[in-house]
Amino acid sequence: MRGTGLEEAISNRRTQRDFQDRSVSVSKVHRLLWAAQGVTDESGKRTAPSAHALHPLNLRFTAGNIDGLEPGTYSVAGDAKTLEPIIRRDLRRELQAAALEDQPWIGEAAGIITVCADFAAASRAFVEQPPYGLRGLRYVYIEAGAVAQNLQLMASADGLGSVIVAGFKDEATADILELEAPITPVMHLCFGWPLLS
Ligand SMILES: Cc1cc2nc3c(=O)[nH]c(=O)nc-3n(C[C@H](O)[C@H](O)[C@H](O)COP(=O)(O)O)c2cc1C
């Protein structure tokens, strides 16, 4: 389908698991982070919707082959703009080893955005709505899905290939990324330049 930029991005969105060994610019990383959780108005609301504007998600960024960023893992501030290094070594292969089944695209991606969530805060916020304590968890997954779609559409619009990876060992992945409980990893978005077939 040809049409608006949005229609093209939706139409071209495809999971890609084969990446070139080629760097991605840090400006493209910032565009992806903005698509995921960028702040788009003065009240602090973001590119993705959030039940009661609770915003229980936050991001970690693992750089492997990023032009303008040292390999390592970075925390991403709530504005989705500021990156702070927290681990100064390339964690891609460790994250790959924490996957369920063999998923080499995790280690071969230029970068990995990990969407993390405070499930405890979400559970508490909606505890008075049935099914008590569980509704907040449901809302987190719905919100993470919106973020995932924003990410893949921005990747598609920028010519990048990407794959959502949610099949990983939760505790091992949290340990590698040095997440502090109750922050839990929900999914990775692994991206890079697609290998042309
Ligand atoms: C919730 C969710 C979890 C996924 N987890 C993985 C995963 O762990 N590894 C992987 O390679 N692909 C994963 N995928 C990607 C799907 O395999 C992919 O979307 C599917 O094959 C359809 O292809 P398409 O995205 O090109 O439409 C996941 C997708 C979703 C929505």
Side-chain angles (χ1 to χ4, degrees):
M1 177 203 262
R2 290 202 60 81
T4 66
L6 179 59
E7 285 167 330
E8 275 188 46
I10 292 172
S11 179
N12 292 335
R13 186 210 64 80
R14 188 87 292 134
T15 292
Q16 297 272 355
R17 299 186 180 84
D18 295 312
F19 301 116
Q20 297 178 43
D21 183 14
R22 177 183 157 200
S23 67
V24 170
S25 69
V26 71
S27 63
K28 290 220 183 289
V29 172
H30 280 290
R31 283 167 61 79
L32 288 167
L33 296 173
W34 176 83
Q37 285 286 271
V39 174
T40 46
D41 76 14
E42 50 293 331
S43 74
K45 290 187 176 168
R46 302 184 184 178
T47 46
S50 180
H52 281 196
L54 182 69
H55 298 126
L57 303 182
N58 60 64
L59 308 173
R60 275 276 198 271
F61 179 59
T62 297
N65 194 358
I66 305 297
D67 198 11
L69 216 48
E70 290 296 315
T73 293
Y74 297 76
S75 65
V76 182
D79 61 4
K81 285 183 185 162
T82 315
L83 297 176
E84 287 288 340
I86 49 173
I87 306 166
R88 294 177 188 273
R89 62 173 204 285
D90 187 348
L91 291 184
R92 291 175 298 170
R93 292 291 173 193
E94 289 175 54
L95 291 172
Q96 178 183 330
L100 300 178
E101 302 176 353
D102 185 26
Q103 303 206 46
W105 38 91
I106 302 173
E108 290 161 7
I112 303 167
I113 294 170
T114 306
V115 178
C116 309
D118 185 340
F119 283 97
S123 183
R124 273 195 311 273
F126 301 99
V127 75
E128 290 176 6
Q129 296 178 5
Y132 309 101
L134 296 180
R135 179 159 299 272
L137 310 186
R138 181 191 300 179
Y139 286 175
V140 167
Y141 291 124
I142 293 170
E143 186 170 332
V147 170
Q149 187 75 354
N150 279 6
L151 278 166
Q152 278 215 302
L153 292 182
M154 183 59 91
S156 162
D158 275 358
L160 293 168
S162 70
V163 51
I164 292 165
V165 171
F168 51 65
K169 295 170 198 153
D170 296 355
E171 280 190 26
T173 300
D175 287 348
I176 293 163
L177 294 173
E178 297 187 4
L179 297 173
E180 287 178 17
I183 307 298
T184 307
V186 178
M187 51 158 273
H188 301 307
L189 189 282
C190 308
F191 64 88
W193 294 109
L195 204 60
L196 306 172
S197 48

